[in-house]
Amino acid sequence: METTPTGQQLRDDLLIGEQIQSTVEDILTTTQFIDIHTHLFAPELGGLGLWGIDELLTYHYLEAELFRSSSIAPERYWELSKREQADEIWRALFVENSPISEATRGVIAVLDAFDLPTDSLDLEEARSFFRTRRIESHISTVLQMAGVSSVVMTNDPLHPEEQQIWMNGLHSRSDFLAVLRLDRILWGWAGHWQRLAEQGYSVDAEASGKSVAEVRRFLAEWYERMRPVYMAVSLTDTFQFPEDSIQGKILSEAVLPSCREFDLPLSLMIGVRRQVNPRIRLAGDAVGRADLRAVENICRDYPENRFLASVLSRENQHELCVYARKFSNLMPFGCWWFLNNPSIVEEITRERIELLGTSFIPQHSDARVLEQVLYKWRNTRATLSPILANSYSAGPGRTWGHAPNHPARCRSLFRGNFERWTNLAA
Ligand code: FIX
Ligand code: ZN
């Protein structure tokens, strides 16, 4: 039974206590989220888009767990077909062991969401279900079930297959938004400058001469082709800025001016340690604590640029919050990759709310397989609901509450902040 706090008599219309919890839950349930970073692809990008049970099971998060729970050598695993790999993972992680890790629980949640058995010894029923699905309508069903209005892709203009599809003239469905991913021209220059040269850009291995101007031309042409909502790059834990390097030069002289020219944010995803175990391929990346003075320098020295930033190390999260208090052109986002586990999401989100209020973007899914959005966003809503309710709650004995419309402002966390940052709302 709610007792009105002592002291000042609260206005009748103020929300307090359990009213706030139910209001926040309703808001999270009814708000269609924008998933601001994924590796999903619109169906117009053909086979690049991954979906269905075999892709869900061969997710690199699960491949990492397979090699801990099976005697199969990675080299032998990579020789298997996709179907055989999925069977191996199902047997090792779901039949012979308990699926209680975040990634295995995710697969169980997807099977459950489609009323498929979660304790079968094989995958035949799941496979025959997914064979009945048509991708265009399946995408709409999955996004609707996940409460996601649109997903932001990761589009690589130098990926041979993707490049060709875009150059043939692609018009992707409106609930898939494009991003210009720059890894290959920033930290991958040595291995990819020739790809630019092949496309007719006068660039060289040292990024000298006309190279910077030609990278600007490349970015302008791909901006017109993709109409991205932001540009993005994943950076290692050793990222430094400014830096006397090809990456430092292209970033400061080509990418940042281009972002200003097209009024786009730049997304910096910092802290990966690439391929610490190459034998397990995509699963072989790890995490390292970065020196976020690079973020301090780039935000301070480029006040006209807007930045999205996600850091992979748990130890960097608090610093990122403090930098966001110093620089209004910095928008922290997501609990990335190894951080996207409820125990850590709770810690990160609470410190962000305490330091930044609602001026950040709590989560992205990083989904690589379509149906992953179902559990990644269900988990986000479940983890964030009590945290937000507690943040709005007046708490026992306090003599203040919130106007009914206040909790609705937390919608900005999942839509408004990103729409404003990317001019999507314009
Ligand atoms: O750089 C990135 O976009 C990372 O998210 C990926 O490289 C990573 O493999 C991933 O999917 C993490 O969730
Ligand atoms: Zn990603």
Side-chain angles (χ1 to χ4, degrees):
M1 161 63 173
E2 269 307 306
T3 53
T4 305
T6 55
Q8 157 205 359
Q9 183 62 29
L10 280 179
R11 290 198 337 255
D12 292 345
D13 64 343
L14 290 182
L15 294 178
I16 56 172
E18 285 157 14
Q19 295 168 307
I20 289 180
Q21 176 69 45
S22 59
T23 301
V24 166
E25 280 170 8
D26 290 348
I27 289 162
L28 292 186
T29 303
T30 56
T31 299
Q32 290 288 301
F33 293 174
I34 300 174
D35 194 344
I36 80 161
H37 170 60
T38 76
H39 300 270
L40 302 180
F41 290 96
E44 294 81 3
L45 279 146
L48 290 174
L50 304 179
W51 59 288
I53 189 63
D54 287 335
E55 295 296 351
L56 284 167
L57 284 165
T58 54
Y59 184 34
H60 68 78
Y61 290 28
L62 290 171
E63 289 174 332
E65 295 176 33
L66 166 71
F67 298 125
R68 298 186 50 73
S69 300
S70 163
S71 59
I72 191 168
E75 291 73 18
R76 171 66 188 119
Y77 172 82
W78 302 120
E79 291 171 350
L80 301 177
S81 68
K82 173 71 74 175
R83 183 188 176 93
E84 290 167 334
Q85 290 173 345
D87 287 336
E88 180 65 22
I89 289 173
W90 181 257
R91 179 189 58 75
L93 298 184
F94 295 80
V95 175
E96 293 176 0
N97 283 284
S98 298
I100 57 172
S101 71
E102 191 59 14
T104 53
R105 283 162 53 88
V107 174
I108 297 293
V110 172
L111 292 171
D112 187 50
F114 290 111
D115 296 322
L116 293 166
T118 58
D119 58 354
S120 298
L121 293 180
D122 63 40
L123 296 166
E124 289 326 303
E125 187 168 344
R127 283 178 175 137
S128 54
F129 166 77
F130 283 102
R131 276 197 294 270
T132 67
R133 312 295 284 180
R134 278 187 56 259
I135 185 58
E136 287 78 2
S137 54
H138 184 52
I139 287 173
S140 301
T141 302
V142 168
L143 294 186
Q144 189 272 325
M145 289 166 72
V148 169
S149 63
S150 37
V151 298
V152 180
M153 301 184 278
T154 297
N155 304 106
D156 180 350
L158 293 179
H159 180 286
E161 185 182 350
E162 182 168 12
Q163 171 190 10
Q164 202 49 56
I165 296 171
W166 285 100
M167 293 181 95
N168 291 340
L170 166 71
H171 298 287
S172 77
R173 49 189 277 176
S174 60
D175 49 0
F176 282 74
L177 303 171
V179 157
L180 190 46
R181 184 68 177 248
L182 306 173
D183 292 32
R184 295 189 206 224
I185 65 164
L186 282 171
W187 53 266
W189 183 263
H192 296 92
W193 68 269
Q194 285 106 327
R195 303 292 308 286
L196 280 173
E198 286 159 13
Q199 288 186 28
Y201 299 96
S202 307
V203 296
D204 61 34
E206 296 72 34
S208 65
K210 293 174 58 183
S211 295
V212 166
E214 287 291 86
V215 170
R216 290 278 320 255
R217 183 166 70 89
F218 168 83
L219 293 173
E221 290 176 2
W222 277 95
Y223 171 77
E224 288 306 325
R225 194 170 284 131
M226 276 187 185
R227 287 296 171 153
V229 290
Y230 60 80
M231 294 190 196
V233 62
S234 167
L235 296 157
T236 63
D237 57 332
T238 60
F239 173 54
Q240 297 292 322
F241 187 88
E243 183 183 60
D244 182 14
S245 66
I246 288 178
Q247 174 174 291
K249 178 178 183 179
I250 293 175
L251 185 49
S252 53
E253 298 179 25
V255 172
L256 290 171
S258 257
C259 285
R260 292 196 298 275
E261 179 184 2
F262 301 115
D263 194 19
L264 293 179
L266 176 63
S267 174
L268 304 169
M269 300 168 68
I270 307 168
V272 63
R273 290 186 59 233
R274 291 192 187 91
Q275 294 299 288
V276 299
N277 182 1
R279 290 178 67 200
I280 59 176
R281 298 185 183 178
L282 254 185
D285 294 339
V287 55
R289 177 171 181 182
D291 177 353
L292 294 194
R293 276 169 288 193
V295 173
E296 173 184 329
N297 296 338
I298 203 168
C299 289
R300 182 192 59 240
D301 297 347
Y302 294 86
E304 300 310 310
N305 283 87
R306 296 187 308 283
F307 298 96
L308 290 159
S310 206
V311 289
L312 191 50
S313 163
R314 178 182 177 193
E315 290 68 27
N316 279 141
Q317 297 305 324
H318 187 255
E319 297 168 83
L320 182 63
C321 285
V322 172
Y323 279 129
R325 287 171 64 90
K326 303 306 134 192
F327 300 107
S328 59
N329 59 337
L330 175 61
M331 179 71 77
F333 79 93
C335 301
W336 183 23
W337 203 338
F338 307 111
L339 301 168
N340 192 2
N341 302 309
S343 59
I344 302 179
V345 170
E346 178 179 353
E347 174 187 281
I348 293 174
T349 305
R350 292 185 64 185
E351 73 181 356
R352 285 173 174 175
I353 290 174
E354 290 154 1
L355 283 166
L356 305 175
T358 56
S359 65
F360 67 99
I361 298 170
Q363 192 59 291
H364 67 279
S365 71
D366 233 311
R368 283 182 174 270
V369 184
L370 173 67
E371 297 85 359
Q372 290 173 338
V373 297
L374 292 176
Y375 68 88
K376 287 177 184 261
W377 285 110
R378 184 200 63 178
N379 296 348
T380 296
R381 286 185 168 91
T383 304
L384 267 57
S385 177
I387 296 170
L388 284 166
N390 183 57
S391 303
Y392 278 99
S393 168
R398 293 195 197 168
T399 60
W400 50 275
H402 279 288
N405 65 337
H406 266 222
R409 293 175 182 167
C410 69
R411 283 200 178 96
S412 58
L413 292 164
F414 303 100
R415 296 192 63 83
N417 289 345
F418 184 69
E419 289 173 325
R420 179 169 54 82
W421 217 243
T422 54
N423 297 321
L424 272 177

